[in-house]
Structures are given as structure tokens and as C-alpha cells.
Amino acid sequence: MKNKSEGPKINQAIRTDIENSVLCWLATVDAEGTPNVTPKEIFSCYGDDHLVVADIASTNTVRNIKTHSAVCASFIDVFRQRGFKIVGTATIVPPEHPDFQIIGIELLRKAGTAFPIRHIVSIKIVRISRIWAPSYTLFPDRAEADRMQSAYDAYGVNPRIAPDV
Ligand SMILES: Cc1cc2nc3c(=O)[nH]c(=O)nc-3n(C[C@H](O)[C@H](O)[C@H](O)COP(=O)(O)O)c2cc1C
């Protein structure tokens, strides 16, 4: 996960948890230092050292980043009960930026035409840390299937089982 000379890199474990996380929570601070944290569904990694998030309706987030570039994003796979926290430096990429389509390729795919992307929030990763549910340390021998079943029970979810083909 960490490369000393170039900063942290996105590895497969991070990619997997991004794919399995429905939302990320993006925290910014305003000019007075007041924190702001809101959910974003349209997010992905870009390359191996950036997280990108779609601004579809995030006026305060964009305004805050323009004065304070430090951000923190976290996401979890609610069923496996683990995820990551990313601290980074954000820039706002407007649609007229020459690389908007490239940087936003995954966001544009996820959002489709129904959810226009006003800007891309591009986050250069400075620090990554794991988020584990406490059960990982309290019950380290619990099997993943049992952990997932307890999350299904907690959320009242009945997972679809893929039919044998
Ligand atoms: C489930 C869910 C998913 C959302 N996904 C996004 C998103 O991907 N991008 C976005 O800009 N807003 C998204 N929003 C809306 C923002 O969270 C919401 O407009 C929020 O008030 C923006 O706050 P801000 O202006 O402080 O950033 C989502 C909201 C919910 C409830």
C-alpha cells in the first residue's frame, strides 16, 4: 500500500473495497475551519494514487476545497464490515479541463446521462489507513460468511444467490 518515495498507492484490496462500497463519505473544511461531511455514490480510483468523486450536487464541498484543499474520504463494504480512510489533497476539475473525460471516465460511466457531473473532485492520496469493524479484533476467527450473515441480519437483507448454470 505504501511506497516511501512516491506516497501511498492504491492496491487491489483498496480497489475491491471501493467496488463493494455503495457510498463514500467526503469530509472538507470551510474557511472558518467548520467541518462538512456528506455522502457521494459516484466515486472511483483514478490511476494508482488518486480518488475521484463526482460533484453532482455538492456545492459546499466544491466551495470548501477551493479554499482548503485538505480532505478526508472514507468508504466501507457494509457487508464485509471493512474499508479504508483516505487523507489527501483535492483539486476541482471543471468540465472544460482538457482531461475531464479521461480523469472522469469511470465517474461518467457510473453516473450515466441521468446525473450530470458538474465538476470532478480529484484527490491526490497522502495517507491511507484501514477501517475494520471491531469484530475483526474481538472475534478474529469468525469466518467471512458468518460476518456477512450478521450484517445481512442487521440490515434486514436477503442476498440473492446466483443460480447454478
Ligand atoms: C445516497 C446518496 C448518494 C449521493 N451521491 C452523490 C454524488 O455522487 N455526488 C454528489 O455530488 N452528491 C451526491 N449526493 C448528494 C449530496 O450528498 C448532497 O447534495 C449533499 O447535501 C451535498 O453536500 P455539500 O454541498 O455539503 O457537499 C448523494 C446523496 C445521497 C443520499
Side-chain angles (χ1 to χ4, degrees):
M1 185 194 313
K2 188 141 190 171
N3 176 325
K4 255 189 179 165
S5 56
E6 299 171 36
K9 298 291 180 201
I10 296 170
N11 62 18
Q12 191 51 50
I14 299 166
R15 288 180 200 277
T16 299
D17 281 5
I18 288 176
E19 277 165 26
N20 291 332
S21 298
V22 176
L23 295 171
C24 77
W25 291 83
L26 181 59
T28 58
V29 280
D30 72 11
E32 284 75 46
T34 306
N36 180 66
V37 60
T38 48
K40 320 286 179 206
E41 187 172 343
I42 309 298
F43 74 106
S44 75
C45 40
Y46 174 65
D48 64 2
D49 59 358
H50 280 76
L51 191 74
V52 285
V53 181
D55 162 32
I56 296 165
S58 294
T59 305
N60 298 309
T61 293
V62 169
R63 189 201 56 222
N64 287 355
I65 289 168
K66 285 179 177 169
T67 51
H68 263 297
S69 61
V71 302
C72 181
S74 64
F75 48 88
I76 57 161
D77 174 339
V78 289
F79 298 121
R80 292 180 184 80
Q81 303 176 32
R82 63 173 191 228
F84 287 92
K85 178 174 73 174
I86 287 178
V87 173
T89 306
T91 51
I92 301 300
V93 181
E96 59 273 17
H97 189 287
D99 295 331
F100 185 85
Q101 297 289 329
I102 296 168
I103 298 169
I105 188 163
E106 188 58 19
L107 303 181
L108 292 159
R109 188 192 65 74
K110 283 187 177 181
T113 49
F115 296 96
I117 298 177
R118 304 188 301 193
H119 304 92
I120 297 165
V121 176
S122 173
I123 302 166
K124 170 80 169 74
I125 299 172
V126 172
R127 208 164 60 242
I128 304 178
S129 48
R130 251 297 185 196
I131 297 173
W132 297 109
S135 66
Y136 278 90
T137 35
L138 293 171
F139 313 109
D141 298 329
R142 185 178 283 179
E144 180 163 279
D146 294 339
R147 208 179 297 281
M148 291 180 81
Q149 188 57 54
S150 88
Y152 295 145
D153 294 344
Y155 290 111
V157 167
N158 189 1
R160 267 186 302 212
I161 309 295
D164 288 337
V165 281

